[in-house]
Amino acid sequence: MALSLAALHYLFPDHEADGVILMAFVVVVLSSVRQFLTQQEARRLQRDLDLQAKHDPLTGLVNRSFLLHLLEQAILRADTRCGVAVLFIDLDRFKSVNDIHGHAAGDDLLREVARRLQGEVGPRDTVARQGGDEFVVMATGIDHTSAVSDMGYRVLQALSRPFAVGNETVSVSASIGVTLCPADSSTASEALRNADIAMYEAKRRGRNGMQFYNQQIEQQTAEIHRIEVQLRGAVERGELSVHFQPLVSLASRQVRSAEALLRWTSPVLGIVSPATFIPVAEQRGLIHAVGSWVLDTAVDQVRQWRAAGQPDLGVSVNVSPLQFERDDFVAQVQATLQRHSLAGSALTLELTEGSLLSDFAASNIKLRELRALGIQVAVDDFGTGYSSLAYLRTLQVDIVKIDRSFIWAMQDDGLTFVEAIVRIAHHLKLRIVAEGIETPEQCCSLQTLSCDLGQGYLFSKPLPSAEFLAFVQETNRATQPDAAHALPHGAPGPEEQAN
């Protein structure tokens, strides 16, 4: 209408309408300005929508869908002389940061991880967040695998430095899987899949490392998948069982307790070694259910043995680091003991050095809580991990189990090491268990060193529960207990009785 007024005024001049015409002109100008601003806002919103569609809102990195697009284009441009590398990065034990420090702290850590990753790649490379605590680096222009290895180790080093979380510092590590395109992977989805497979292999080999994809890993992954499929539901189907290996007093030859050892006979896979299926259970999140079942079964078995006339028998149960990390672990153990009306002194929990020392302060808090329940704690496979005797001074543990490799090496130069462990442990009022005893000579040497308990095929292989009870009854009848050296499992010593 403003334009119509202007046209009429031009055709039929009317000086009295000049004010109206001026206002009409202002309206036209303001409308044009508004249109311009609206279009600018629309463009800005479109840019924001494009950014959200292509980037992760938490870290600002490229998201998975846009990464697939970029990777597909990069693979099409690549050739055998100048290819693309995909590094799949997964943070190790990130869940514990969320559990202990909260999700806000976990988000801060992820943002800092993103910043560090961007600092370790080149200007033509892309860093993306795959989801959760998983990241991907797409490196282009790769003419040699050594360049990828260098980048991977720089990333590992960058992520191994402590992170500031609130007023505290936390440490994490990473596992990296690498695939090369188009040599190993011809499409973007295949590249991410293969890099993911290689990453899980890096985790299986101990975490905080890097692994390149190859066909052998593909076959191993297929086998792991078969094991995982059959392991799911194995507890409900009754395929798992627990055998018990005696722990014997070296002074009296009396059986004092048993170590619970998990066994699996699958109708599809046959007998599967624990060394094969337990790592799969840990990788695929099945270890909590399996570990809870083993603990419950072992505690119930001790209750039955005690009711059958063996009131001093106890049991040792191995605990996965992933089980021990859980916030509710102590509560779960306590509930299991209460459910079977059993005192904590009947139970020993075996943990590896690595699981105890990965977060020393947090571990000691849980250990104190366990010992307050009367539960004993053993450091399993001592000497194969951090091997720091100094840690024994402050770790809240009761027992040190010397790894079998040192027992087998005693005939060479291992005797000195075993003697040092026994002396230091006894000075700290810890008991010693020697694993893997197979010969009378080994047993005699350990007895001379005043080692407390022994375990191995010299005494017995792991036995089903009924056979174990018969073995205990026969062995303990045939031997005379030495009260000076052989205390029942969990019974107080002379000094404790005096107190």
Side-chain angles (χ1 to χ4, degrees), residues 5-25:
L5 281 174
L8 288 171
H9 181 68
Y10 178 77
L11 295 173
F12 308 101
D14 183 357
H15 297 292
E16 294 181 0
D18 286 346
V20 175
I21 298 304
L22 178 62
M23 291 305 298
F25 176 76

Side-chain angles (χ1 to χ4, degrees), residues 84-313:
V84 177
V86 176
L87 290 77
F88 199 110
I89 304 161
D90 183 84
L91 301 182
D92 299 326
R93 299 190 177 98
F94 171 74
K95 183 178 180 295
S96 63
V97 176
N98 275 338
D99 292 342
I100 296 171
H101 302 282
H103 289 279
D107 290 346
D108 289 342
L109 189 145
L110 291 174
R111 280 189 283 265
E112 177 61 16
V113 167
R115 190 188 67 79
R116 292 189 189 184
L117 289 176
Q118 288 176 308
E120 299 301 330
V121 303
R124 295 184 300 171
D125 303 331
T126 301
V127 181
R129 184 180 176 213
Q130 170 83 353
D133 61 341
E134 296 176 339
F135 297 83
V136 175
V137 173
M138 181 185 74
T140 56
I142 300 299
D143 56 1
H144 202 278
T145 56
S146 61
V148 184
S149 297
D150 291 343
M151 177 185 292
Y153 287 119
R154 288 200 310 272
V155 167
L156 289 175
Q157 189 173 16
L159 298 183
S160 66
R161 297 196 303 269
F163 292 84
V165 174
N167 297 324
E168 300 181 41
T169 59
V170 298
S171 296
V172 298
S173 58
S175 299
I176 302 178
V178 183
T179 189
L180 301 176
C181 312
D184 297 325
S185 309
S186 57
T187 66
S189 57
E190 185 183 14
L192 290 179
R193 170 185 170 275
N194 291 345
D196 186 31
I197 289 172
M199 181 274 293
Y200 272 108
E201 178 65 12
K203 279 191 180 293
R204 191 186 69 82
R205 296 191 177 192
R207 307 173 188 266
N208 194 27
M210 179 172 58
Q211 175 66 50
F212 279 79
Y213 170 83
N214 56 52
Q215 287 296 324
Q216 184 178 1
I217 292 176
E218 177 84 30
Q219 295 168 0
Q220 291 173 350
T221 301
E223 180 63 23
I224 288 171
H225 179 70
R226 288 184 67 228
I227 293 171
E228 177 190 356
V229 168
Q230 297 304 319
L231 189 56
R232 290 187 184 276
V235 172
E236 294 76 10
R237 295 191 298 269
E239 298 171 12
L240 299 181
S241 62
V242 177
H243 285 198
F244 300 88
Q245 188 170 34
L247 273 69
V248 177
S249 166
L250 296 185
S252 68
R253 296 301 194 269
Q254 292 270 299
V255 179
R256 296 304 178 204
S257 63
E259 180 179 358
L261 298 169
L262 181 60
R263 298 290 183 262
W264 179 28
T265 302
S266 165
V268 176
L269 304 175
I271 297 175
V272 187
S273 167
T276 300
F277 72 81
I278 288 179
V280 175
E282 291 179 328
Q283 291 174 17
R284 298 300 194 254
L286 304 175
I287 193 63
H288 303 298
V290 172
S292 297
W293 180 85
V294 172
L295 178 65
D296 188 78
T297 302
V299 169
D300 181 57
Q301 190 59 67
V302 173
R303 181 189 59 78
Q304 294 181 44
W305 289 335
R306 293 190 169 194
Q310 299 295 328
D312 298 323
L313 270 182

Side-chain angles (χ1 to χ4, degrees), residues 194-481:
N194 291 345
D196 186 31
I197 289 172
M199 181 274 293
Y200 272 108
E201 178 65 12
K203 279 191 180 293
R204 191 186 69 82
R205 296 191 177 192
R207 307 173 188 266
N208 194 27
M210 179 172 58
Q211 175 66 50
F212 279 79
Y213 170 83
N214 56 52
Q215 287 296 324
Q216 184 178 1
I217 292 176
E218 177 84 30
Q219 295 168 0
Q220 291 173 350
T221 301
E223 180 63 23
I224 288 171
H225 179 70
R226 288 184 67 228
I227 293 171
E228 177 190 356
V229 168
Q230 297 304 319
L231 189 56
R232 290 187 184 276
V235 172
E236 294 76 10
R237 295 191 298 269
E239 298 171 12
L240 299 181
S241 62
V242 177
H243 285 198
F244 300 88
Q245 188 170 34
L247 273 69
V248 177
S249 166
L250 296 185
S252 68
R253 296 301 194 269
Q254 292 270 299
V255 179
R256 296 304 178 204
S257 63
E259 180 179 358
L261 298 169
L262 181 60
R263 298 290 183 262
W264 179 28
T265 302
S266 165
V268 176
L269 304 175
I271 297 175
V272 187
S273 167
T276 300
F277 72 81
I278 288 179
V280 175
E282 291 179 328
Q283 291 174 17
R284 298 300 194 254
L286 304 175
I287 193 63
H288 303 298
V290 172
S292 297
W293 180 85
V294 172
L295 178 65
D296 188 78
T297 302
V299 169
D300 181 57
Q301 190 59 67
V302 173
R303 181 189 59 78
Q304 294 181 44
W305 289 335
R306 293 190 169 194
Q310 299 295 328
D312 298 323
L313 270 182
V315 69
S316 298
V317 177
N318 291 280
V319 177
S320 163
L322 296 177
Q323 286 178 272
F324 188 65
E325 283 179 1
R326 289 178 66 107
D327 290 340
D328 62 348
F329 175 72
V330 176
Q332 180 198 355
V333 175
Q334 184 178 16
T336 302
L337 290 170
Q338 291 174 345
R339 187 163 55 250
H340 297 285
S341 303
L342 205 64
S345 58
L347 177 63
T348 298
L349 298 178
E350 299 189 9
L351 297 117
T352 61
E353 296 171 66
S355 61
L356 291 172
L357 301 181
S358 60
D359 190 337
F360 186 82
S363 294
N364 250 352
I365 292 172
K366 288 184 181 178
L367 295 181
R368 287 192 192 96
E369 293 173 349
L370 291 168
R371 296 179 78 196
L373 299 173
I375 298 165
Q376 299 179 84
V377 179
V379 182
D380 196 17
D381 299 334
F382 188 83
T384 60
Y386 290 83
S387 305
S388 176
L389 294 170
Y391 279 111
L392 292 180
R393 291 179 59 252
T394 49
L395 265 179
Q396 298 292 310
V397 298
D398 307 277
I399 301 167
V400 173
K401 297 192 74 173
I402 305 175
D403 185 69
R404 66 189 66 229
S405 61
F406 297 104
I407 305 304
W408 295 342
M410 284 196 307
Q411 61 187 14
D412 300 321
D413 57 353
L415 186 62
T416 303
F417 184 77
V418 173
E419 183 179 10
I421 296 176
V422 172
R423 286 188 176 182
I424 292 175
H426 281 168
H427 177 73
L428 297 172
K429 303 190 184 312
L430 303 175
R431 287 192 295 164
I432 291 288
V433 177
E435 298 182 286
I437 302 175
E438 295 187 351
T439 67
E441 292 77 18
Q442 291 172 343
C443 185
C444 183
S445 297
L446 291 164
Q447 187 174 359
T448 302
L449 295 177
S450 299
C451 185
D452 301 296
L453 299 171
Q455 177 182 356
Y457 274 44
L458 177 66
F459 309 112
S460 172
K461 67 179 182 179
L463 301 168
S465 58
E467 293 181 30
F468 175 83
L469 181 59
F471 175 83
V472 172
Q473 293 169 338
E474 180 182 351
T475 301
N476 288 358
R477 274 198 305 266
T479 57
Q480 291 297 320

